Amino acid sequence: MQKQLIFETVHEPEAGPKWRRLFDLHWPAYERWYLSETERERPSYLACYNALTRHMPELIPTYRRLCELSGGGDLSSRLLSLYRPPAYITGCSQAAFADAGANVLVRNYDYPPELCEGTILSTCWNGRRVIAMSDCLVGVLDGINESGLSVSLAFGGRTAVGDGFGAPIILRYILEFCDTTPEAADVLARVPTHMAYNITVTDARKRYITAMIGPDRPASIKRIPVATNHQKRIEWYAHALASETLIRERQLSILVDDPATTKERLISAFAAPPLFRTDYRRGLGTIYTAVYHPNAGVAQYHWPDRSIELSFDHFEETFVDIRYNVRASIPG
């Protein structure tokens, strides 16, 4: 058995017909997901708009534009705010690596292929050019802006759900309006999130952090270069065992602490176990590896048999057809 995901690279500086095409393509699936807990569980349009206005006001013109492009419907406008969306769980391993000759952010995204949007967007919605893996049409799973600021998210391994935003729109906000890691850290400390996430950030000056955020406690923001799927200690043991979060964290920590590690060695480690995972049956397989180079303004995306490189100076629109082999896996 195989699962298929067709990745698409899309260049559209100002949101327009290309974004609308993506909306038309993905909206039926997003609508089902948004209503999966019934509509009464989702906030009203006014609540969504007010939350954006309070916490990320600079994003309001973009939000209005996307709502207009999507047809101005109540339900789609509420989803595009990503305020209090349904809960969802990912895997993911990520590491910022900086030495005398290197500065990269590398991540594996572990998720069911059939639920990933697969769109790499090149935009300039608010005066900063951004290249990012899109999520929920407005959000970001990982990406880079023209200042070199690079971000990625991982599920935080906790079951807490509360009043706040999905992390993808917080990452979009960071890439649209921040230039440095300290600026990103300020956003992560003040904007509320609806679930636990680990956000790794690095910039062109090799300053990196990992922010452990959640809806029920203040953000913990420290100069930690690696993150997997737990925060400080294991709280959801079943998920930790299935995702091998401790094994992956240990592997990354050994790599980044080893003076012999080069960026090439680190990147290659993401293509092999335990960082690269093949448990697609349970939705815990790696569906892509992203590598961001803050000083060069380059984004690379890797799969076992191919890769693409994009930059702010050269962004080719293309499709990448990826097949994932599904087979029974041994738990743990």
Side-chain angles (χ1 to χ4, degrees):
M1 294 178 58
Q2 286 188 329
K3 294 185 178 183
Q4 179 186 29
L5 175 56
I6 299 176
F7 290 84
E8 181 182 5
T9 61
V10 177
H11 176 69
E12 188 177 51
E14 297 293 330
K18 293 182 181 179
W19 186 92
R20 174 61 199 239
R21 177 182 61 80
L22 293 170
F23 175 86
D24 290 339
L25 175 65
H26 295 295
W27 172 244
Y30 279 128
E31 182 180 28
R32 289 193 299 271
W33 168 70
Y34 196 65
L35 297 177
S36 59
E37 299 171 334
T38 74
E39 186 175 352
R40 71 176 61 184
E41 294 298 319
R42 305 280 66 83
S44 68
Y45 168 76
L46 184 59
C48 295
Y49 185 86
N50 287 343
L52 277 174
T53 301
R54 178 181 179 186
H55 297 289
M56 296 181 279
E58 302 93 335
L59 204 55
I60 287 294
T62 295
Y63 173 67
R64 287 175 173 163
R65 173 62 175 161
L66 297 183
C67 289
E68 177 185 355
L69 280 172
S70 68
D74 175 73
L75 198 63
S76 59
S77 297
R78 289 152 68 186
L79 180 143
L80 288 170
S81 74
L82 279 188
Y83 177 58
R84 286 167 43 197
Y88 53 94
I89 298 168
T90 66
C92 310
S93 307
Q94 53 203 33
F97 180 74
D99 64 10
N103 183 20
V104 293
L105 175 63
V106 191
R107 73 97 104 256
N108 276 357
Y109 187 63
D110 303 345
Y111 200 59
E114 64 273 19
L115 300 181
C116 182
E117 191 173 311
T119 305
I120 303 168
L121 274 177
S122 171
T123 60
C124 188
W125 290 349
N126 293 282
R128 283 179 181 82
R129 291 180 293 172
V130 172
I131 297 173
M133 187 69 73
S134 177
D135 188 53
C136 296
L137 300 160
V138 64
V140 166
L141 297 174
D142 46 74
I144 184 172
N145 69 18
E146 64 181 321
S147 297
L149 188 65
S150 304
V151 297
S152 68
L153 66 82
F155 173 57
R158 301 176 57 237
T159 57
V161 178
D163 185 18
F165 295 90
I169 199 168
I170 301 175
L171 266 60
R172 167 63 68 183
Y173 179 61
I174 287 170
L175 291 181
E176 296 291 330
F177 298 104
C178 298
D179 293 313
T180 67
T181 295
E183 291 174 2
D186 288 343
V187 170
L188 292 166
R190 68 172 177 81
V191 177
T193 175
H194 79 127
M195 287 182 63
Y197 298 96
N198 298 330
I199 313 298
T200 300
V201 183
T202 191
D203 65 16
R205 294 177 62 183
K206 302 184 180 182
R207 295 174 294 189
Y208 60 81
I209 56 138
T210 291
M212 297 180 180
I213 62 177
D216 57 343
R217 61 178 66 162
S220 173
I221 302 175
K222 296 184 178 180
R223 194 172 183 270
I224 298 173
V226 304
T228 52
N229 301 123
H230 61 280
Q231 297 184 334
K232 299 182 180 178
R233 62 183 179 86
I234 300 298
E235 297 185 44
W236 186 0
Y237 288 91
H239 182 270
L241 181 64
S243 67
E244 299 180 322
T245 180
L246 289 173
I247 295 172
R248 290 181 288 116
E249 181 191 50
R250 177 173 173 77
Q251 175 77 357
L252 284 175
S253 297
I254 291 171
L255 282 167
V256 299
D257 290 340
D258 186 348
T261 295
T262 62
K263 70 177 180 182
E264 291 79 14
R265 180 187 177 194
L266 178 67
I267 294 169
S268 66
F270 277 81
L275 299 180
F276 190 93
R277 311 193 70 228
T278 57
D279 192 356
Y280 301 106
R281 182 178 60 87
R282 293 191 294 175
L284 293 170
T286 300
I287 59 176
Y288 69 87
T289 301
V291 184
Y292 296 102
H293 301 262
N295 297 100
V298 168
Q300 298 171 320
Y301 302 91
H302 299 281
W303 299 271
D305 61 346
R306 72 195 73 180
S307 63
I308 58 174
E309 180 173 300
L310 306 167
S311 71
F312 295 107
D313 296 325
H314 181 74
F315 190 100
E316 181 182 357
E317 293 191 313
T318 189
F319 295 91
V320 183
D321 187 349
I322 303 297
R323 309 296 174 96
Y324 305 91
N325 291 323
V326 180
R327 62 178 183 270
S329 302
I330 300 173

